Amino acid sequence: MAPKRRLITDSFKVVKRVRIEEKKESPVVEEKEPETDSPPLSEREQDLEELKKFDLDWHYGPCTGITRLQRWQRAERWGLSPPRRVREILRRHAAEEDYTHCLWHEYPL
């Protein structure tokens, strides 16, 4: 007699999957922004935040070793279109170190 041929279905149970034609729509949950009880930023804080964003944007080149105004002027020369608001802030507060120097001014090169 010839040996009986074994099939994979002899060892594993056959499971038929049912195809789901209609997908159930899940209810849309609106995401709410977390409510913050912090007071609005002062004009000085807004200006410094804008300058910080300028410092962190590497599109305008490195900012260590030069003032923010020098960096802005260099970016303008290179045709990179730096934000005009940054230049206005720097001209208004030209004598204040918080405004003239970049974030990493106090760190050694």
Side-chain angles (χ1 to χ4, degrees):
M1 265 203 178
K4 185 175 179 184
R5 190 170 174 198
R6 292 188 48 110
L7 299 173
I8 194 162
T9 55
D10 294 338
S11 300
F12 299 99
K13 182 180 175 185
V14 177
V15 179
K16 292 186 178 182
R17 296 186 183 184
V18 178
R19 204 178 232 185
I20 300 175
E21 299 280 331
E22 297 178 21
K23 293 183 180 179
K24 293 182 179 178
E25 292 184 23
S26 60
V28 178
V29 178
E30 293 182 22
E31 294 182 23
K32 295 180 180 177
E33 292 183 22
E35 294 180 18
T36 56
D37 294 333
S38 61
L41 297 176
S42 67
E43 184 180 343
R44 176 183 172 82
E45 290 170 335
Q46 289 175 354
D47 289 349
L48 290 174
E49 188 67 29
E50 186 77 24
L51 294 174
K52 181 180 175 183
K53 287 178 187 176
F54 179 67
D55 287 345
L56 295 174
D57 191 349
W58 286 100
H59 178 73
Y60 305 114
C63 63
T64 53
I66 60 174
T67 65
R68 284 177 171 146
L69 185 59
Q70 289 171 335
R71 182 173 182 240
W72 191 94
Q73 291 169 343
R74 181 186 62 197
E76 179 71 18
R77 259 193 329 266
W78 289 349
L80 299 175
S81 304
R84 296 268 182 222
R85 176 154 163 65
V86 170
R87 183 176 180 210
E88 293 168 7
I89 294 169
L90 294 173
R91 293 223 172 171
R92 259 193 325 230
H93 304 282
E96 298 179 49
E97 269 193 36
D98 291 344
Y99 287 89
T100 57
H101 296 294
C102 74
L103 289 174
W104 299 278
H105 171 68
E106 295 179 4
Y107 294 97
L109 295 176

